[in-house]
Amino acid sequence: MLSFIVHGGAWDIPDAMLEDHRAGVARALAIGWEVLSGGGSGVEAVEKAIRYLEDDPTFDAGRGSFVNSLGEIELDASIMNGTSFRCGAVAAVQNIRNPISLARLIMDKSEHVLIAGMGAVRFARENGIQQCKSDDLLVGRELQRWKELQGKTTFSTKDAFKGKLPSDTVGAVALDKDGVIAAGTSTGGTPNKYPGRVGDSPMIGCGTYADSAIGGVSCTGWGEAIIKVALSKTIVDRMEVNGGDADEASRFGIDRLKTKADGFGGVIVLNHEGRPAVAFNTPRMARAYRTSEMPDGTVEV
Ligand code: ASP
């Protein structure tokens, strides 16, 4: 059984942006599926699909990311192999075009899990990834948003509570031919965030988690709340005791996000057999999935 699921954020996605979100997650699904069906690894499928979404300016990851309160773009990403339990992550890194690939490099070539800021840039350079220009990541839509937000609070809990705050983080989970579950997440964080603020996305067990014996998860939404309930690990732990029921576990996770931390967001989940599930408590969530048993796949916003 092969299985692949991607997301492109959970929030009140406006009608005018629906088509771009749908097209983005559909293309990312096709890219990941091509890797898996060609015999490639789950890690490769997750990295390639997320690279595509980072390059697509529709989403808050890589190019198109939100801008922090100083007018800079700081990126977070993580990736995990659920069989080897190796993982890699970057936090608050600047001028890196594809942070998911840097996270993978840290997973593959470093003894560490999470490297932040200038250290991550240094590790990238030492391993052949050069910094890009700020203009390669910044798009007019986000410059405009940043200008409008100046003088306002850095993060509005109230907006997150309503699911109104833009939340276009991207993520993917794969089950490959060797039974490996891999998961990854990439984001520019939240609009006008405090410099150095790090969300759930690069934190293993919060935004991303994979255990090939149980399942894998990628999250999106209000990072501070997701961290408080260690959402991705909570969902995997739930699948360990509920017979691998991905639907029930994803609903359980979102319920816990709301009741314990008053949070809003969405999750994509695969159980160890590759059964996909999605849950969110925002008005909309962009997602797409396909398994060997569902060759047509599903794209929904
Ligand atoms: N979870 C991300 C963060 O808080 C934001 C998002 O999902 O859009 O950094």
Side-chain angles (χ1 to χ4, degrees), residues 60 167-169 187 189-190 197 199-201 220-223:
D60 169 36
S167 165
D168 276 322
T169 292
T187 189
T190 48
R197 178 265 187 192
D200 59 299
S201 307
T220 179
W222 180 22

Side-chain angles (χ1 to χ4, degrees), residues 65-74 94 134 146 188 193 195-196:
S65 285
F66 297 140
V67 176
N68 73 12
S69 60
L70 292 181
E72 300 163 339
I73 290 178
E74 293 186 323
Q94 292 192 20
S134 299
W146 178 74
K193 64 187 178 183

